[in-house]
Amino acid sequence: MFEDFFTQSDIFTSYLSGPITLFIAAFTSIISVANPLAAMPVFLSLTDHNSDNERIYVAKKSSFYMFLVLIIFLLIGTYIMSFFGISLPGIRIAGGLIILRAAYAMLNPDVSEKKISDEAQEAAKDKEDISFSPMAMPMLSGPGSIAVVIGLASQARGVFDLLITSGAIVLVALISYGVLRLAPFSAKYIGPTGMNAITRMMGFIAMAIGVQFILNGISSFFGV
């Protein structure tokens, strides 16, 4: 009886390994490009004169808009690319290159590029609602995040894979909300050094995922 149990347990583990691996890969690639830690200083700057409750409200709306944008492109992004005649291998390679670019910036935070210019940031201070622009777009769900989501959708083998990727997007949105919600506390106690260390670790993982995206695209193109 115990031998049968362990045999079934092995089968159960092997069955879950695929979905779990996909979830981890999707979550890591999306959050590495979205990089809510990079959005934290902008969020603090734009909500400098807001109360704590107002900051919580803006963080909640920004994360929700981020979720909507990424889910929409997850569901229809590949159809849009197909309309323009872009093949699935091309989408995968493009997504991998964008992840590599984001990963390189994370490994070298001193030379990383800003997602929005100083002029746009100053203009955003005069807006009544910054939750969609610039917080949700382009800070959290910009072109890089959208390209990665489309790349993940192109590798989905069915509805179940799309549901797993959707779960990863939900988790990224929740973490983004948590990061923005705790931004004042994080900026005070973690500091720039701690944030750089976390960013570099995520950058290495993201670079490996980006390389795998490119290899998958190349192998798919040549039918290897």
Side-chain angles (χ1 to χ4, degrees), residues 44-57:
L44 289 174
S45 175
L46 296 180
T47 58
D48 184 44
H49 300 291
N50 291 37
S51 64
D52 290 339
N53 290 333
E54 290 173 338
R55 273 181 167 171
I56 294 173
Y57 182 68

Side-chain angles (χ1 to χ4, degrees), residues 16 32 39 45 49 82 86-87 106 139 156 168 191 213 216:
L16 287 181
S32 63
S45 175
H49 300 291
S82 298
I86 303 174
S87 65
M106 294 171 72
M139 290 303 300
F213 260 59
N216 290 346

